[in-house]
Amino acid sequence: MQRLHNVPGQFLVEHLPQSTFPEDDDWVALIRAPEGLTVVREASPFTEAERWVGFYGEPDGLDVPGTLAALVQPLADAGVPVFVVSTYHADLVLVPEHRLKDATEALRGAGHQVEL
């Protein structure tokens, strides 16, 4: 199984040759799709919207099958919603903050090591 860490409050994901990140914005991930842009950013203390917390695994790379499925299946079985941002090395799995305990229990129950 996987060893997971709680996502730090601030992080930067880099592995996009020939691209640059805006230096004047605080976003964490941008996902552009035909229906629009999805932005993941750190929540400020004044944010009223639902907050998400994340788990990030040890780097596996792109050639290891089933790593994401091994994380989201136990969460789905526990009824925990997820939002996933995949990086070159591993997946960032976000869950609603109020479901952190449920998510941690589900992942540990599936044999994953979770460090909060």
Side-chain angles (χ1 to χ4, degrees):
M1 291 296 151
Q2 297 181 51
R3 184 175 167 192
L4 303 169
H5 304 277
N6 188 267
V7 177
Q10 299 177 356
F11 63 95
L12 175 68
V13 175
E14 282 186 62
H15 196 321
L16 297 173
Q18 304 169 357
S19 295
T20 60
F21 293 115
E23 295 181 18
D24 61 346
D25 206 352
D26 60 353
W27 56 268
V28 175
L30 299 175
I31 301 93
R32 189 175 310 276
E35 66 274 5
L37 182 69
T38 299
V39 178
V40 177
R41 66 177 75 242
E42 285 195 49
S44 79
F46 309 106
T47 303
E48 297 285 331
E50 182 176 30
R51 294 171 183 265
W52 295 72
V53 293
F55 300 98
Y56 192 72
E58 296 290 318
D60 285 329
L62 299 174
D63 60 346
V64 180
T67 56
L68 180 57
L71 297 177
V72 297
Q73 188 60 59
L75 295 172
D77 292 343
V80 177
V82 300
F83 185 86
V84 178
V85 179
S86 294
T87 72
Y88 183 83
H89 298 286
D91 300 300
L92 171 62
V93 178
L94 301 172
V95 300
E97 182 180 42
H98 70 277
R99 299 296 306 272
L100 176 61
K101 181 180 177 190
D102 298 330
T104 301
E105 289 174 0
L107 291 167
R108 286 181 176 156
H112 300 290
Q113 294 179 357
V114 180
E115 297 177 15
L116 299 176

